[in-house]
Amino acid sequence: MARRPTIKDIARQAGVSESAVSFALNDRPGVSQDTRARIRRVAEELGWQPNSAARALSGERSGAVGLVLARPAHTLGVESFFLQLVSGIQEVLSAARTALLFQVVEDIDAECAVYRRWWAERRVDGVLVVDPRTSDPRPALLEALALPAVTIGEALPPGGADGGAPAGPGDRGGACAAPSLAPSSAPSPAPSGVASSAPSSVRADDAGAMAQVLEHLYGLGHRRIVHVAGLPGLAHTVRRMESLRDEAARRGLGPDQVRSVVTDYSDAEGAAATRRVLAEPDPPTALVYDNDVMAVAGSAVAAGLGIPVPGRLSIVAWDDSALCRVTHPRLTALVRDTAGFGRLAAEELLAVLAGSPPGVRISERPRLEPRESTAPPPAHT
């Protein structure tokens, strides 16, 4: 097994002391510019890299940021959103030579426990937080830990559906309670140069996107519409449901005509919800799905029931993907730059870690692309 080069190896080959190597590699005074350049050249030739654990223990950065997903694991392998999001995050972090520490957990309490462990072990310099909740304990915990964070997918504008809701299960104490640490046992809370621990955010216009969908379907003549939504505790699910309800009410459509049903984002639950609503005495003429996987599953259910799309049923997918473009008929979908969403979040976190104050970045609004899966409903409906 190859041995990793050490400071002693660099000192021997450069013909200097180990302390000179330490000064040069840590940008400290005490060596000349020529000596510093020679030491760094030798270090590069030997393939030397700093020990991240040792640097973290000395109060320097770990060179990593964290991302935790508290979602059912079976829903992640089929959903393209997170793959695209992570690809955008990685694009920025790789260019900055920053690692991404990724973990999937069962629930939000387990997510908070991961944050506490990472903080105590100094494993990450900051975190990217996804899936804002209607009552979210994570911002308070991260602020108490002084762990820099960027929340991905908060409401636009501020003060929307996210605020003021009562705490849900798992939000009262436990792993998500603010820490109480004796000063002697608390590690230094944040790397030097970080301006603040208050979370930054990358915001998304879910309400505006849903308004586009309803405008499209209403304009085609649909008056019975069901939104097959995702997990009910997520803030963006609530925003979409509320926007659908409000936009329907503006057009004189009541909850008996336009409504939402919740699922876990999986193809199985998307298919099951589709079967239920299509079996009703007055079934919807249009279905809006919160992701591409459920939309494709719903289209397959309709085909199995002998319901033509779009002849008797129109279908809209929230997130466009290759699935939407290769299925038959091709699915009308909301197109957005999900990788760009990830890039914005990673850029904001790196900016905060470099000393910038926390800020808000706005992602571009999704654009509805009509395809063959939406058309006017049958005349008799």
Side-chain angles (χ1 to χ4, degrees), residues 215-257:
E215 180 180 6
H216 173 66
L217 293 175
Y218 185 87
L220 290 173
H222 293 278
R223 300 298 181 265
R224 295 199 305 276
I225 302 168
V226 170
H227 168 214
V228 183
L231 294 164
L234 302 182
H236 68 254
T237 301
V238 173
R239 290 198 299 271
R240 295 172 190 179
M241 293 169 64
E242 291 186 345
S243 177
L244 180 75
R245 181 195 63 204
D246 294 344
E247 293 295 325
R250 287 182 54 238
R251 294 165 173 81
L253 303 178
D256 58 326
Q257 297 169 284

Side-chain angles (χ1 to χ4, degrees), residues 265-309:
Y265 284 110
S266 70
D267 56 334
E269 286 208 13
T274 303
R275 291 190 189 93
R276 287 196 303 271
V277 299
L278 292 181
E280 294 172 353
D282 291 314
T285 62
L287 293 173
V288 181
Y289 294 88
D290 258 2
N291 67 18
D292 55 338
V293 174
M294 292 198 297
V296 171
S299 181
V301 167
L305 294 173
I307 300 173
V309 176

Side-chain angles (χ1 to χ4, degrees), residues 156-176:
L156 176 71
D162 295 10
D171 292 352
R172 303 179 182 89
C176 294

Side-chain angles (χ1 to χ4, degrees), residues 68-224:
V68 184
L69 293 184
R71 288 260 190 126
H74 70 278
T75 68
L76 298 176
V78 294
E79 192 174 359
S80 64
F81 174 83
F82 281 112
L83 180 61
Q84 296 177 50
L85 182 75
V86 170
S87 72
I89 291 170
Q90 278 288 76
E91 182 180 338
V92 172
L93 296 183
S94 295
R97 301 183 69 181
T98 299
L100 178 65
L101 189 58
F102 177 72
Q103 189 160 344
V104 178
V105 296
E106 293 182 357
D107 54 36
I108 199 166
D109 274 338
E111 180 177 345
C112 291
V114 170
Y115 293 146
R116 287 174 171 274
R117 185 175 71 252
W118 282 352
W119 169 79
E121 296 173 353
R122 297 177 174 86
R123 295 288 299 278
V124 297
D125 300 321
V127 294
L128 297 163
V129 181
V130 297
D131 289 340
R133 263 57 176 183
T134 51
S135 181
D136 202 328
R138 295 171 297 175
L141 171 64
L142 293 169
E143 187 171 1
L145 295 175
L147 188 60
V150 174
T151 302
I152 303 174
E154 286 192 351
L156 176 71
D162 295 10
D171 292 352
R172 303 179 182 89
C176 294
S180 176
L181 294 171
S184 61
S185 65
S188 54
S192 59
V194 175
S196 171
S197 61
S200 296
S201 64
V202 177
R203 298 182 181 270
D205 190 2
D206 290 293
M210 182 60 83
Q212 287 186 67
V213 172
L214 193 61
E215 180 180 6
H216 173 66
L217 293 175
Y218 185 87
L220 290 173
H222 293 278
R223 300 298 181 265
R224 295 199 305 276

